[in-house]
Amino acid sequence: DIVMTQSPDSLAASLGERATINCKSSQSVLYGSNNKNYLAWYQQKPGQPPKLLIYWASTRESGVPDRFSGSGSGTDFTLTISSLQAEDVAVYYCQQYFIIPLTFGGGTKVEIK
Amino acid sequence: QVQLQQSGPGLVKPSQTLSLTCAISGDSVSSKSAAWNWIRQSPSRGLEWLGRTSYRSKWYNDYAVSVKSRITINPDTSKNLFSLQLISVTPEDTAVYYCTRSVGYDDYIGYYYSAMDVWGQGTTVTVSS
């Protein structure tokens, strides 16, 4: 199985500040034949299911604010919130869909300082 | 707009069978451009993918090794839904269960799936006597 490791476990930043979450996979999720990274980011607020933010490592889902961006390739990925807003308080998960079993990171809790 | 509506009991006794259904609106369970997944979430195990069903000229099922001997995911084309059955449950199966959709693609490299773009509302299942 591909193990997904996120860091940090939690972070607190001020409103308007940048927040960065890291995700590392135990093996590459880059498929050479189509040059796509099979990596997604989700946001989960209390009492709600996870919501897809980013797929193919850097493609923003429709309707997701452009302050959310994804980057990285191979085994190392980053989710950046460029200007933290109050509504961004949530837990964020990375997930690989390169091979089954599909696996998730442990989550990063984002709070306002 | 695709929506998934989950239903099923919230309490199951140990050794019995957990059964949930996920009704699809706005898409088809037999679409060749989607896979239909079951995920669960618990404090001890985090988000855990359990398995999926998909149709590409015939039905395919993939299951997580951790539950492979106990799980069945079945499509129901007449009702446009898919179901989860997990037999011989224990308190370790207590979790919030979600159904999801993954969009499928068929191009020059073959068939592959993307991330999970639609989620059901979740069902809290407690295994307890």
Side-chain angles (χ1 to χ4, degrees), chain A residues 32-102:
Chain A
S33 295
N34 61 4
N35 203 35
K36 288 182 182 293
N37 286 283
Y38 286 55
L39 188 285
W41 289 97
Y42 300 87
Q43 174 194 65
Q44 187 177 29
K45 296 181 179 180
Q48 297 182 18
K51 172 190 171 185
L52 178 63
L53 296 177
I54 303 282
Y55 57 100
W56 303 128
S58 61
T59 302
R60 205 177 298 115
E61 175 73 333
S62 175
V64 173
D66 60 7
R67 63 180 181 274
F68 291 93
S69 64
S71 62
S73 184
T75 61
D76 292 280
F77 300 90
T78 300
L79 175 70
T80 301
I81 309 173
S82 60
S83 176
L84 192 65
Q85 304 299 305
E87 60 266 33
D88 301 335
V89 169
V91 180
Y92 294 83
Y93 296 94
C94 61
Q95 179 236 332
Q96 67 80 20
Y97 46 97
F98 186 53
I99 59 170
I100 55 171
L102 311 183

Side-chain angles (χ1 to χ4, degrees), chain A residues 97 100 102, chain B residues 2 4 22 24 27-39 49 51-56 59-62 73 75 82 99-105 111-119:
Chain A
Y97 46 97
I100 55 171
L102 311 183
Chain B
V2 180
L4 302 177
C22 182
I24 304 164
D27 201 347
S28 170
V29 70
S30 52
S31 166
K32 293 183 180 179
S33 301
W36 306 96
N37 306 275
W38 284 100
I39 310 290
W49 176 83
R52 68 186 180 193
T53 190
S54 60
Y55 182 76
R56 307 191 302 272
W59 289 100
Y60 292 85
N61 286 314
D62 299 297
I73 296 176
F82 62 109
C99 58
T100 76
R101 181 186 78 164
S102 300
V103 173
Y105 299 90
Y111 213 88
Y112 59 99
Y113 295 104
S114 184
M116 290 179 274
D117 66 334
V118 183
W119 292 64

